[in-house]
Amino acid sequence: MITIASPEHAQHRAPHEFLDGRLIPPYESPERAEIILAAVERAGLGPIVRPRAFGDAPLHAVHAPDFLGYLEHAYGRWVAAGGDPAAVLPSTLAVRWMDRRCLHPLVAPGYYSFDLSAPIVAGTYRAARASADIALTGAALLLEGEPLAFALCRPPGHNAGSDMYGGYCYLNNAAIAAEQLVRSGAARVAILDIDFHHGNGTQQIFYGRDDVLFVSIHADPAREYPYFGGYADERGTGAGTGFNLNLPLEAGVDDARYLAVLDQALAAIQAFGPRFLVLSAGFDTFGGDPIGDFALAAAAYPAIGRRIAALGLPTLVVQEGGYAVAALGENAASLLRGMAAEA
Ligand code: Q9C
Ligand code: ZN
């Protein structure tokens, strides 16, 4: 197994986020990536390499050009227009019946984002690009014959859609890697999302596609973020109908319950017959997570890893969420240990 990581992630450090009307310290912190890297090193899971640079083309394959231009220049234009230098965060959001394009530098954040949990600072775009390069390097390694790669991405990506960001996510790393695998000749690619939250961005990007299957196990959005999507009746559209599978779950999910639902997800992936698997791996399913309400024990992660690896597919593991920082490194290393043992 090969891990891809970069110190560039530290360029992104949000000063705060909004939660239930309160301005609070961000759950998504640089310490997360450092602790995962240290645990993977300690576990001796194979070489740790830096990402290669892939340029703009793979980003454009997934994200809209105006959205990428916005992300690149948002901070500088915001500050020049008088916005708080601490971070870019909107005060007015485009919504269902009021969604005209108004791109004044202090207003564009409300057009391109859907929540108040993804501040942009001076280094956010650089970090997000490095994060996408990490995922793309993992995809390249699979194409070169590597059976298992771990993309230690930060910031995470699965909440970011083709032209919208939010939920700590800016560029959709897993989607960018999956699209690269398809464009390199793989007829079918499956994405399994095991983050506690629904991967609304990944779903949106591939919703009309029959060559990329998206399967997500997550907290029922009727109760948990992202609330406005991720329900079981969202099955895809047009040619993509039947190629989107949401498995929303109740609070308090334990290891046995989770593993049973995971088997359902894996059966759907097996039936699809993909050439590659991209795993959006979040560890906010852990019982100790401060923003999740599942009850997984640490012992669940090696078991989850073994079952996923038993599919026998070349797999790219892409780091997403997980906010119980003290346990995060061990949980990530445990999943990978389980996968490597089975592979
Ligand atoms: N009451 C990831 O795990 N705040 N994003 C939720 C719930 C935002 C999660 C508040 C959660 C974003 C990558
Ligand atoms: Zn999450």
Side-chain angles (χ1 to χ4, degrees), residues 40-303:
V40 170
E41 259 168 18
R42 244 191 343 266
L45 288 162
I48 299 172
V49 303
R50 292 288 166 90
R52 311 170 195 172
F54 286 83
D56 289 340
L59 308 184
H60 282 271
V62 161
H63 292 287
D66 62 316
F67 174 73
L68 293 169
Y70 162 76
L71 283 182
E72 183 171 3
H73 301 294
Y75 183 79
R77 290 178 181 163
W78 165 271
V79 172
D84 184 353
V88 175
L89 214 52
S91 17
T92 309
L93 296 167
V95 291
R96 288 182 303 286
W97 43 263
M98 205 168 61
D99 62 351
R100 299 284 296 272
R101 264 167 73 96
C102 180
L103 300 181
H104 181 283
L106 295 175
V107 175
Y111 181 73
Y112 287 114
S113 68
F114 58 86
D115 69 17
L116 298 182
S117 62
I120 293 176
V121 297
T124 297
Y125 190 66
R126 270 179 61 190
R129 285 203 57 141
S131 193
D133 275 336
I134 287 171
L136 285 162
T137 304
L141 288 167
L142 295 198
L143 290 163
E144 289 157 17
E146 196 63 39
L148 178 61
F150 175 45
L152 210 178
C153 293
R154 179 182 176 273
H158 77 148
N159 298 118
S162 60
D163 60 357
M164 266 216 233
Y165 69 102
Y168 315 145
C169 302
Y170 306 87
L171 298 174
N172 194 316
N173 309 309
I176 290 166
E179 181 64 23
Q180 182 85 341
L181 291 169
V182 169
R183 293 192 183 201
S184 302
R188 283 181 302 282
V189 173
I191 304 174
L192 173 61
D193 191 323
I194 59 168
D195 188 275
F196 172 78
H197 304 97
H198 179 242
N200 59 297
T202 314
Q203 168 171 308
Q204 180 256 337
I205 288 163
F206 296 113
Y207 207 58
R209 299 265 296 266
D210 61 3
D211 53 349
V212 178
L213 173 72
F214 180 64
V215 180
S216 181
I217 305 172
H218 52 268
D220 191 335
R223 167 183 101 251
E224 284 286 348
Y225 183 93
Y227 308 110
F228 303 110
Y231 294 84
D233 62 1
E234 297 162 20
R235 301 294 317 276
T237 189
T241 304
F243 297 90
N244 192 90
L245 176 61
N246 285 331
L247 299 166
L249 299 180
E250 66 283 0
V253 167
D254 64 9
D255 297 14
R257 167 84 172 125
Y258 194 90
L259 291 171
V261 176
L262 178 64
D263 284 344
Q264 257 179 271
L266 297 176
I269 290 167
Q270 195 148 35
F272 178 64
R275 171 83 184 80
F276 296 106
L277 176 66
V278 175
L279 179 69
S280 265
F283 301 91
D284 32 12
T285 48
F286 181 57
D289 196 274
I291 64 171
D293 66 9
F294 286 179
L296 296 199
Y301 296 101

